[in-house]
């Protein structure tokens, strides 16, 4: 069962006066071209959205995929990126769950939870899909079309089922891979909750390569860990693009590290 859920794409809404310490409205930074980032925000975690925005602004990616994201938190992060750091992003939400415990709000109107994509370039054709079987918690993927390196590209952001649910993840990855396979150029980011040689990732490896040059399902090199427990769960898969640089940035704001990928310019 494929379910289209709440999706919103657009620039920040006017917010009136700037917050204390914010930048003048004419101080706008450019995002780094061809830079893509994925980050599981950690939820529920007692973390300041000011700190989250500062972590993102340090690297100023063109496209950011966020997982475990509450809509209210993403709204605040995006406002802080603009008001405090001069970075302006469009946003698309791919929420799959209304969850008071994770996102607050009134018990009868809990906050929306799932994935989000921030992009310095406009996004079109947003689709949010809930996996037929989420496992212990509803999960899904968000897909949008945007521009990277002057080329139209389909960007996917996903969060697969938690650990020890291999069979569920395999079915989820199959749904995702079928959607990715329809595009010659695609960037797939997210928390896959699986190490590179896990059987459930076989379909993704057949379609794309990870930006970590040492990382492949049969690689003899050591994939750089992306979590505090020294596992690689977070990926930037490329289809129709070549990687230029891959970096992992630990942060006290989450138990997942920020994963940054710079893509090689189109020749």
């Amino acid at each position: 069962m494929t379910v289209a859920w709440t999706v919103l794409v657009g620039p920040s809404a006017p917010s009136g006066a700037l917050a204390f310490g914010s930048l003048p409205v004419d101080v706008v930074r450019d995002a780094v071209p061809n830079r893509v980032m994925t980050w599981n925000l950690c939820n529920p975690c007692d973390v300041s959205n000011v700190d989250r925005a500062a972590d993102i602004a340090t690297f100023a990616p063109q496209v950011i995929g966020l997982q475990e994201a509450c809509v209210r938190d993403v709204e605040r992060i995006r406002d802080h990126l603009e008001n405090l750091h001069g970075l302006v992003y469009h946003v698309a939400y791919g929420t799959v769950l209304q969850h008071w415990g994770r996102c607050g709000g009134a018990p009868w109107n809990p906050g929306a939870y799932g994935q989000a994509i921030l992009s310095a370039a406009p996004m079109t054709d947003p689709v949010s899909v809930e996996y037929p079987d989420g496992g212990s918690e509803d999960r899904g993927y968000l897909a949008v079309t945007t521009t990277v390196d002057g080329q139209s590209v389909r960007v996917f952001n996903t969060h697969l089922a938690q650990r020890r649910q291999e069979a569920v993840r395999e079915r989820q990855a199959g749904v995702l891979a079928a959607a990715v396979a329809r595009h010659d150029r695609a960037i797939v980011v997210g928390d896959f909750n699986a190490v590179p040689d896990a059987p459930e990732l076989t379909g993704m490896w057949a379609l794309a390569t990870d930006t970590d040059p040492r990382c492949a399902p049969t690689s003899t090199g050591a994939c750089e860990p992306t979590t505090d427990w020294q596992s690689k769960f977070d990926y930037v898969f490329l289809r129709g693009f070549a990687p230029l640089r891959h970096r992992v940035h630990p942060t006290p704001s989450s138990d997942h590290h920020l994963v940054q990928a710079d893509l090689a310019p189109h020749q």
Side-chain angles (χ1 to χ4, degrees), residues 18-263:
L18 294 177
F20 175 78
S22 61
L23 295 171
V25 293
D26 58 346
V27 178
V28 177
R29 289 172 58 193
D30 289 332
V32 178
N34 296 9
R35 177 166 293 173
V36 178
M37 178 180 287
T38 185
W39 192 21
N40 183 316
L41 292 178
C42 183
N43 184 304
C45 288
D46 185 17
V47 177
S48 164
N49 287 315
V50 171
D51 292 340
R52 287 167 166 163
D55 283 337
I56 293 170
T58 299
F59 310 104
Q62 183 180 358
V63 177
I64 311 155
L66 301 175
Q67 304 89 43
E68 296 196 12
C70 296
V71 168
R72 292 187 185 94
D73 286 332
V74 176
E75 289 172 343
R76 294 180 182 117
I77 290 168
R78 187 175 62 163
D79 284 347
H80 295 323
L81 284 167
E82 181 173 358
N83 296 334
L84 301 180
H85 303 283
L87 290 164
V88 179
Y89 289 100
H90 302 261
V91 65
Y93 296 106
T95 57
V96 294
L97 189 63
Q98 304 293 309
H99 201 295
W100 179 83
R102 287 191 180 273
C103 296
W108 57 89
N109 185 28
Y113 172 81
Q115 286 72 245
I117 295 175
L118 303 180
S119 174
M123 294 177 282
T124 60
D125 304 318
V127 174
S128 183
V129 174
E130 183 176 345
Y131 292 126
D133 181 1
S136 57
E137 181 179 83
D138 294 348
R139 295 289 166 92
Y141 73 79
L142 168 66
V144 301
T145 298
T146 188
T147 302
V148 175
D149 191 25
Q151 302 180 85
S152 177
V153 59
R154 196 68 170 163
V155 177
F156 295 81
N157 180 19
T158 193
H159 188 191
L160 301 190
Q162 296 170 345
R163 289 177 287 179
R164 297 181 295 279
Q165 299 182 82
E166 292 84 355
V168 175
R169 284 198 300 275
E170 185 174 7
R171 292 191 291 271
Q172 293 172 347
V175 172
L176 176 64
V180 173
R182 294 195 287 267
H183 302 274
D184 294 331
R185 288 191 300 273
I187 300 171
V188 187
V189 305
D191 175 5
F192 285 75
N193 270 313
V195 295
D197 62 352
E200 55 263 39
L201 295 189
T202 301
M204 283 305 307
W205 288 115
L207 294 171
T209 57
D210 184 56
T211 55
D212 185 345
R214 300 176 300 174
C215 197
T218 58
S219 175
T220 57
C223 298
E224 190 168 3
T226 65
T227 65
D228 286 353
W229 55 93
Q230 297 301 302
S231 293
K232 178 177 171 66
F233 279 3
D234 306 89
Y235 297 81
V236 178
F237 283 112
L238 301 181
R239 179 173 169 85
F241 287 86
L244 178 64
R245 187 178 299 109
H246 174 92
R247 291 176 177 169
V248 176
H249 307 280
T251 167
S253 299
S254 177
D255 55 355
H256 285 253
H257 308 335
L258 292 87
V259 179
Q260 167 202 323
D262 293 348
L263 310 186

